[in-house]
Amino acid sequence: MADSIVDSLKAGGKKLTKPRQAILAILESNALPVTAAEVHARLKKAHVHMDLATVYRNLTMLQELGLVDPVGLREGQMRYEVRHGREHHHHIQCRGCGRIVDLMLCPIKKLTELVEAQTKFAVEGHSLEFFGWCPQCR
């Protein structure tokens, strides 16, 4: 586990418990965002005993500390991915099979500057997700 993750937890008054370490390891091992239910199933498979409500609580806490990003893909549930060591990016999801692909680009930087200038807000982040049909489902 990276020192920056441990430092962020400590700064937030939290410890790197074995269950939190297991959740972060699952998120780090996945290239794409996963649901809390998928995290829970993988914990169970690894014989880490944690109920689904505790998984949600830990994901929320990790999100509040800026270690995990939520990804909403209009499928009725939130997905999560670890932020540490990953470049800012967006996603595209197939409406047919549900396949998710990372888009390693961000066309919003200029728009963010315009939004800040017009609203006087200090933008901390944004979310942009694309939906369409993959080649196999077209």
Side-chain angles (χ1 to χ4, degrees):
M1 207 59 45
D3 289 339
S4 61
I5 291 174
V6 176
D7 292 342
S8 293
L9 284 165
K10 284 181 183 177
K14 307 292 182 188
K15 294 180 181 178
L16 182 59
T17 62
K18 286 185 181 183
R20 287 182 188 144
Q21 190 170 4
I23 290 171
L24 285 165
I26 289 167
L27 294 174
E28 285 182 330
S29 70
N30 282 281
L32 297 171
V34 294
T35 66
E38 291 168 336
V39 171
H40 183 251
R42 291 182 188 162
L43 288 170
K44 204 172 188 179
K45 189 175 181 180
H47 305 290
V48 176
H49 303 288
M50 185 184 314
D51 63 24
L52 185 56
T54 303
V55 171
Y56 273 109
R57 276 195 304 277
N58 276 281
L59 287 170
T60 299
M61 181 270 303
L62 292 168
Q63 179 184 339
E64 289 168 354
L65 293 176
L67 296 171
V68 169
D69 283 330
V71 178
L73 291 171
R74 293 187 187 211
E75 57 189 0
Q77 57 189 332
M78 193 62 68
R79 290 179 172 271
Y80 301 88
E81 62 184 2
V82 71
R83 181 182 288 184
H84 171 76
R86 293 195 182 179
E87 192 177 316
H88 174 73
H89 64 281
H90 299 282
H91 305 91
I92 186 166
Q93 184 177 34
C94 178
R95 292 190 184 276
C97 65
R99 181 174 156 220
I100 301 168
V101 175
D102 280 342
L103 299 174
M104 299 311 293
L105 56 91
C106 182
I108 303 296
K109 291 177 183 167
K110 273 286 193 212
L111 181 58
T112 299
E113 293 171 11
L114 292 172
V115 167
E116 286 181 330
Q118 184 176 356
T119 65
K120 306 300 183 226
F121 274 60
V123 175
E124 292 183 347
H126 63 267
S127 175
L128 176 65
E129 309 304 334
F130 293 88
F131 304 94
W133 298 91
C134 72
Q136 290 78 24
C137 292
R138 267 192 263 167

